[in-house]
Amino acid sequence: MELKETFQQVKKASKTLGLLTDEQRNEVLKAVADAIIAETPALLKANAEDLAKMDKANPLYDRLQLTEQRLQDIASDMRHVSTLPSPLGRVLKDKTLENGLHLQRVAVPFGVIGMIYEARPNVTYDVFSLCFKSGNACVLKGGKDANASNSAGVELIHRVLITFGIDPNVVTLLPATHEATGEMLNAVGYIDLCIPRGGKKLINFVRDTAKVPVIETGAGVVHCYFDKDGDLEMGKRIITNAKCRRVSVCNALDCLLIHESRLSDLPALCEGLAEKQTKIHADDRAYEALKGHYPDTLLYKAEESEAKMKEADANVKSIWNTEWLSMQMGIKTVASEDEALDHIATYGSGHSESIVSNKETAQKKFQAMVDAACVYVNAPTSFTDGAQFGLGAEIGISTQKLGARGPMALEEITTYKWLITGNGQTRK
């Protein structure tokens, strides 16, 4: 491997993190947060280089863009991480066997975490803060779209680490090439865990290619089911927020499922969507309910949209399992909660799902039957976020069941080991 020496340096540097106290880690995180604020103009300049190369119509543009407010939020999240309890050394189990052996299972770092991500420069800072706080070194592999932004961020972090006498190799940014991705996924013995954060294509590639352990994150095909007993005003707020708060993130709403008895309320439910210029791809019944009550230029028949999408991209399977990542969404009419549940089971990605209903039995059934990392009742899926859950910044949203599930923060990027203390016992 051309990057073998780089991986060796990171592995070696990761061992030094165990010598730091939690107080020292916290001081470093606060110093990096201060540097982000102090160097905002330089960071925005680097980001502008990346933005100049991307079409503003690209759904990734919003994810790529850094602003003064977003950098302030990144710094605030990093300071928040510094205030959280250390995940290390937690005693997860403690017992003494009949033979007198004392067993403890304690939380420890994975060692080196590899992160593959696309046009998301904020991930550079989030991953560093969580990995550093949890005693992990990190290898970052960003996309070429954000290379200038990522490089500026890592250089800033390195300068702070050096002032504290810490080996800067604990945070390493790989070249933004496909070859570097391949080497990272095959770095057995150097990278202990790899986490891809991006679209379905990236995640599938990493899962199918990697020889190192992988935790899948992110691809979200997100639904909201408006039940026959749903509150109209509440539903309107929830649907608008879930779709329009920030369309390029994985917790954004992709498909509204509406009970057929509430079709007359659909125009009112979609008022906020119209104000935000949201394109709607509706099934026949929803289309007829909205026709004349929703801007014609924004209303499409789902069947026709699906045909056009398949013609343009052979990889499109159905409009109903599309993660839009833009100001677009689908609307599907269902005859019952069971039909809504079947639709979610067929087209959902296991990320986040929501029901709007005032009927307790419907709420409980939805929560019991939906197989997703986060299941909401009368709240928007936009809350699926590590910071919103009180976990600090997140490293990703895991959609798998083995290991971490949902927002991955400090506890989710530690493993454990057993500590056994005896006084001379031998096994028969």
Side-chain angles (χ1 to χ4, degrees), residues 1 14 55 57 93 142 148 288:
M1 293 188 298
S14 71
D55 185 347
K93 283 191 178 181
E288 290 302 320

Side-chain angles (χ1 to χ4, degrees), residues 194-347:
C194 181
I195 303 173
R197 187 166 174 179
K200 186 181 297 184
K201 185 177 180 181
L202 170 66
I203 293 168
N204 289 343
F205 172 77
V206 171
R207 183 192 60 222
D208 296 341
T209 306
K211 292 183 179 179
V212 298
V214 172
I215 290 182
E216 296 180 41
T217 71
V221 179
V222 176
H223 301 83
C224 177
Y225 168 51
F226 187 76
D227 186 41
K228 62 181 180 179
D229 296 298
D231 180 271
L232 180 59
E233 286 303 315
M234 180 190 294
K236 178 180 175 181
R237 293 195 305 272
I238 288 172
I239 292 164
T240 303
N241 185 257
K243 176 71 254 183
C244 304
R245 189 196 71 86
R246 193 174 175 191
V247 296
S248 64
V249 291
C250 57
N251 60 26
L253 180 62
D254 295 298
C255 181
L256 169 63
L257 303 173
I258 183 167
H259 193 279
E260 61 183 10
S261 67
R262 302 301 299 272
L263 280 172
S264 61
D265 291 316
L266 190 56
L269 283 174
C270 294
E271 284 178 358
L273 301 177
E275 292 173 4
K276 297 291 185 178
Q277 298 293 295
T278 306
K279 294 180 181 178
I280 287 178
H281 307 271
D283 69 359
D284 290 342
R285 298 180 70 184
Y287 182 89
E288 290 302 320
L290 286 172
K291 191 175 180 180
H293 304 285
Y294 200 84
D296 291 341
T297 55
L298 299 174
L299 183 61
Y300 303 84
K301 288 187 176 182
E303 185 176 344
E304 296 175 359
S305 297
E306 182 174 297
K308 291 179 181 178
M309 290 169 63
K310 286 184 176 180
E311 184 179 343
D313 186 351
N315 293 319
V316 174
K317 294 180 180 179
S318 169
I319 196 170
W320 304 120
N321 65 357
T322 296
E323 183 183 20
W324 292 103
L325 300 176
S326 60
M327 204 65 82
Q328 302 185 69
M329 62 178 282
I331 298 182
K332 173 76 173 177
T333 307
V334 296
S336 65
E337 182 176 14
D338 285 337
E339 187 178 343
L341 292 169
D342 287 343
H343 184 97
I344 292 171
T346 302
Y347 298 106

Side-chain angles (χ1 to χ4, degrees), residues 40-58:
T40 289
L43 296 176
L44 292 179
K45 182 180 179 180
N47 185 239
E49 293 180 30
D50 292 326
L51 291 172
K53 301 173 185 177
M54 182 178 285
D55 185 347
K56 287 187 177 182
N58 190 323

Side-chain angles (χ1 to χ4, degrees), residues 338-359:
D338 285 337
E339 187 178 343
L341 292 169
D342 287 343
H343 184 97
I344 292 171
T346 302
Y347 298 106
S349 62
H351 192 292
S352 300
E353 309 290 358
S354 175
I355 181 175
V356 178
S357 178
N358 287 331
K359 192 172 183 179

Side-chain angles (χ1 to χ4, degrees), residues 141-154:
K141 171 58 184 69
K144 63 180 181 180
D145 291 332
N147 193 48
S149 304
N150 292 334
S151 297
V154 171

